[in-house]
Amino acid sequence: RDITYRRNLENTLVKSESNFKKLSNLTFEGIMIHRKGVVVDVNYSFTKMFGYTKEELLHKNSISLLFPSKYHKLILKGHNFTHILPYEAEGIKKDGSIFPVEIEARAINTSKGNFLRVAAIRDVTNRKKLEDETNKLSAVVEQSENSIVITDLDGIVEYINPQFSKTSGYKPEEVIG
């Protein structure tokens, strides 16, 4: 019997999977595919982010290995939904260090209710550092004994600190804009 058609389908499938893996490894996000928390596949960015090799992660319970226990219930709760909007948690690297992450996930129905989940994980360490710096600078500006006025390039007032109001007697809504 002629198996040419079947061989062509198999070759197409192998090529498609190869292209998918190449694309997956080009992203900066860590991608993990899992079934009920057990790792089925991960991309290169995921291994770099957490410090494990792919082989060290396959068939392991990702929840207990990669996330502090205080996040286990939150992560497991997400397994009941087909799409989880981004939320923040913490990850545990192979060396034991904890780092902030943002997780978004989707469920894929592979066959007859057999779900795989695809989780996109971002390391948000730099974003958290910038947020902390911004919060510190904002506190300094708010608490400054000097009047501070911020304008756009046309001189339109965008911000005044409390000291400006105290010194000038103008309320923010009278000056801004």
Side-chain angles (χ1 to χ4, degrees):
R1 129 178 108 147
D2 186 11
I3 61 169
T4 305
Y5 178 73
R6 182 183 170 111
R7 286 235 169 112
N8 286 340
L9 282 178
E10 288 173 352
N11 288 337
T12 301
L13 182 61
V14 167
K15 187 175 181 178
S16 176
E17 184 175 355
S18 173
N19 287 338
F20 171 75
K21 286 188 184 272
K22 285 177 188 174
L23 183 62
S24 169
N25 284 323
L26 288 175
T27 184
F28 297 105
E29 287 184 334
I31 297 174
M32 174 179 61
I33 300 172
H34 66 92
R35 182 175 283 112
K36 295 181 181 177
V38 177
V39 178
V40 174
D41 201 1
V42 293
N43 71 344
Y44 176 74
S45 293
F46 192 93
T47 62
K48 293 288 285 182
M49 187 182 306
F50 284 90
Y52 289 94
T53 65
K54 183 176 181 174
E55 292 72 26
E56 290 174 310
L57 294 169
L58 291 178
H59 312 296
K60 299 285 190 322
N61 182 323
S62 62
I63 298 168
S64 61
L65 180 65
L66 302 173
F67 303 99
S69 60
K70 66 182 177 181
Y71 295 102
H72 292 182
K73 284 183 183 178
L74 175 64
I75 293 168
L76 287 169
K77 187 172 114 178
H79 290 187
N80 297 325
F81 301 98
T82 56
H83 180 224
I84 304 300
L85 295 175
Y87 65 93
E88 291 185 2
E90 292 175 325
I92 306 171
K93 295 184 182 216
K94 184 178 179 179
D95 67 8
S97 61
I98 306 288
F99 67 109
V101 295
E102 184 179 75
I103 303 170
E104 183 172 4
R106 291 195 194 315
I108 301 170
N109 189 353
T110 57
S111 65
K112 298 180 184 175
N114 187 8
F115 285 96
L116 284 177
R117 301 206 180 272
V118 178
I121 300 177
R122 297 165 206 77
D123 180 341
V124 293
T125 302
N126 290 335
R127 183 175 82 193
K128 288 294 189 185
K129 285 180 184 175
L130 287 173
E131 286 173 1
D132 288 346
E133 289 295 318
T134 300
N135 289 339
K136 287 177 190 173
L137 290 173
S138 293
V140 167
V141 169
E142 287 288 314
Q143 297 170 10
S144 175
E145 291 297 320
N146 296 315
S147 293
I148 298 175
V149 178
I150 298 175
T151 67
D152 66 11
L153 294 175
D154 295 322
I156 305 296
V157 176
E158 294 181 340
Y159 170 84
I160 61 169
N161 72 338
Q163 185 62 34
F164 178 88
S165 291
K166 186 176 175 182
T167 304
S168 70
Y170 287 106
K171 296 177 183 173
E173 56 271 13
E174 295 174 304
V175 179
I176 294 175

